[in-house]
Amino acid sequence: MARIKETFDSRAWFMLECDDHNCEQRFDDSQWYAYEDDLLADAKDDGWQILYKDEHPELERDMHYCPAHRLPECVTCTNIMIDSTGWKDGQCPECIKEEIPNERS
């Protein structure tokens, strides 16, 4: 599980770790967070990529990637490459279908 929850003094505290299977990076800002929303906001501000299951139905759960392991993003829109099927030259299948020019060209 990517979100780590511990209980100290009868209160839940939170930390976040990268979902890349080769990474042990954690975002805890050298402290545990009392509020999960504060943790996620600070991690996002620090370059973590946070993918929510409700926004990406192909995910089984929310996923979190540290700045070194962020998933590639489409060069012409905000789609994230969770599955590389149909992607070409950094563009997602939707942008290719709509014939949106590749910004790298």
Side-chain angles (χ1 to χ4, degrees), residues 11-104:
R11 183 171 180 169
W13 294 85
F14 300 92
M15 184 190 306
L16 193 68
E17 64 184 2
C18 183
D19 274 305
D20 186 282
H21 62 280
N22 293 319
C23 184
E24 294 181 17
Q25 177 70 32
R26 292 183 175 173
F27 183 84
D28 65 353
D29 200 29
S30 300
Q31 64 185 4
W32 288 83
Y33 277 72
Y35 300 101
E36 193 171 11
D37 290 343
D38 291 344
L39 167 69
L40 296 173
D42 285 353
K44 209 169 196 176
D45 288 346
D46 205 38
W48 281 64
Q49 187 178 55
I50 300 172
L51 307 177
Y52 296 102
K53 182 183 182 298
D54 60 342
E55 295 172 4
H56 301 279
E58 63 274 22
L59 296 177
E60 293 180 18
R61 61 181 174 83
D62 294 347
M63 304 290 282
H64 315 89
Y65 295 94
C66 72
H69 295 106
R70 291 174 62 99
L71 298 177
E73 298 177 18
C74 180
V75 296
T76 53
C77 74
T78 59
N79 285 339
I80 296 170
M81 186 190 301
I82 295 171
D83 177 8
S84 62
T85 305
W87 285 67
K88 182 180 175 189
D89 296 329
Q91 275 191 307
C92 69
E94 291 82 10
C95 288
I96 294 168
K97 181 180 176 184
E98 295 294 324
E99 298 181 356
I100 298 172
N102 187 330
E103 291 180 356
R104 291 189 205 163

